[in-house]
Amino acid sequence: MATTAGGRKLGRVMPTGRVLAIIVPFIVLLVVGGGTWYLYGALNPPPKQQPIAFPHPVHVETLQLDCQFCHRGAAIGPAATVPAVEQCMFCHKVAVTDRPEVQKLRAAWEKKEPIDWLRVYRMPDTVRFVHEAHIQAGFDCAVCHGNVGQQQVVQHARDLRMGDCVTCHRVNEAPTDCTTCHY
Amino acid sequence: MPKWGMLVDLDRCSGCRACVAACQIENNVPINTEEIVNQRRGIQWIRIERYWEGTEYPAAKVRNGAMLCQHCRNAPCEPVCPVYATYHNSEGLNTQIYNRCIGTRYCANNDPYNVRFFNYWEPQWPESYYHYLNPDVTVRSKGVMEKCTFCVQRIRRTERQAKREGRALKDGDVQPACVQACPTDALVFGDISDTGSRVSRLAQDKRHFRVLESLGTDPVVFYLKKVDPQHVGDAAKQPAAH
């Protein structure tokens, strides 16, 4: 009986075991890789393009401004707060008025419009994070926010999920009762 | 560590419901429409219960009583939670952790006071009301249980304020919204582990009782009985401690 090359049974060419040996690693790679990619994305959200390209390095590193010079709420309340346009104009009425980004600021000031800064750090709605308590306890802003003076565009510097918070609270003997943050 | 507790003087309560309104606003409690209330799914962390005695005018009497979470030291709602979303914390608060709650409603079913409320729907407010929401309180979403917290956000805020000023908490520093709103001073809030606090002293009054005490729930909300002027007896002769 003559057998052509194409007449061979598939099972002969690719035994089930070998098929699995090829496919399974692919699936595992897909799942592990996809999971890692997803987690990496979740932990490192892409930097947000702010309406005005505000350079933290110039203000923090070069000018040596204190964080709380602009983020005035940090030591006295729950929210650190983003400065009002008026706060920026405190200096920029006279300082570097020729830069295009500063002129955007001046335009907003003249139109009496707020600038819609995009929020980079936001806790879930069930969390009541209070800046004041952490600043009063003597923590530097950089503990959670990283070295903002090196970030041209502000990005997440730390995990800041509940495990991260609780670990730090345990180490520093801060309260870990649920109602410390959740209410 | 203080142990928070409350006292309701029924002799002073006029049933005006200012406490109810204050609580709804302070704690972002959803608006109860007629339809929702008719379905018995209305949410009121504190409510005024009204009881009538007699039917005709001179004889008819109304009795008002505030009912809120009793923050029982032996709370029936706590051990039935399968996910530990409700528990007793070191300050004597019966807590409800919204992000842990999975909405089994066991706690509400095992609660003899009817002071736990389930969110059957996503809370809705008219558009303009969203600006009135309290940023210090979580807006609860559909599928979680909620209840009186003794305004824990106010406790935390006052604690921070005291710390900032470098002092300990004083009696009367912490006032939940209902206590602050009460025009007749019928509600008193304070530390019941401090025998000198106003709430502790008032709870020693002869008129004191606790609701459904026979169940052994050991509530920390104390009530002072209403004295009936027609039956002035020993209780009326005792001067009020206010």
Side-chain angles (χ1 to χ4, degrees), chain A residues 75-78 124-133 136-137 162 175-183, chain B residues 87-91 93 95-100 135-139 149 152-153 156-157 160-161 163-164:
Chain A
I76 54 168
D125 282 353
T126 49
V127 181
R128 312 256 80 82
F129 178 82
V130 177
H131 273 92
E132 179 195 352
Q136 299 294 354
M162 196 171 120
T176 47
D177 183 63
C178 303
T179 56
T180 308
C181 308
H182 301 294
Y183 45 83
Chain B
Y87 69 98
H88 226 65
N89 79 356
S90 52
E91 292 161 277
L93 300 177
T95 59
Q96 179 68 30
I97 308 303
Y98 308 124
N99 44 333
R100 194 175 259 182
D136 295 338
V137 179
T138 307
V139 173
T149 61
V152 63
Q153 72 279 8
R156 294 284 171 269
R157 191 202 301 155
R160 287 203 303 274
Q161 198 177 341
K163 200 172 178 185
R164 201 187 307 147

Side-chain angles (χ1 to χ4, degrees), chain B residues 77-86 100 102-107:
Chain B
C77 54
E78 287 167 10
V80 294
C81 180
V83 293
Y84 213 49
T86 182
R100 194 175 259 182
I102 56 169
T104 63
R105 290 179 275 147
Y106 290 161
C107 56

Side-chain angles (χ1 to χ4, degrees), chain A residues 99-118:
Chain A
R99 299 268 173 82
E101 296 299 310
V102 176
Q103 278 163 5
K104 278 190 211 169
L105 174 76
R106 175 168 283 274
W109 164 253
E110 279 162 3
K111 275 190 276 178
K112 295 191 187 299
E113 276 176 1
I115 294 161
D116 293 329
W117 298 107
L118 298 175

Side-chain angles (χ1 to χ4, degrees), chain A residues 14-77:
Chain A
M14 295 283 263
T16 321
R18 206 182 293 168
V19 171
L20 281 180
I22 293 171
I23 290 177
V24 167
F26 262 110
I27 293 173
V28 170
L29 200 73
L30 203 72
V31 169
V32 172
T36 316
W37 180 75
Y38 174 78
L39 258 182
Y40 183 82
L43 296 181
N44 302 286
K48 289 181 172 173
Q49 211 55 51
Q50 299 287 355
I52 293 177
F54 175 83
H56 269 98
V58 176
H59 295 80
V60 180
E61 289 284 290
T62 319
L63 298 170
Q64 292 288 312
L65 292 182
D66 189 69
C67 304
Q68 290 179 44
F69 182 72
C70 299
H71 300 288
R72 301 213 148 183
I76 54 168

Side-chain angles (χ1 to χ4, degrees), chain B residues 44-64:
Chain B
Q44 281 187 325
W45 287 11
I46 182 170
R47 64 175 181 268
I48 298 291
E49 294 189 340
R50 187 169 55 187
Y51 300 98
W52 289 97
E53 287 175 15
T55 46
E56 290 303 315
Y57 160 60
K61 267 185 236 148
V62 62
R63 294 194 185 276
N64 294 302

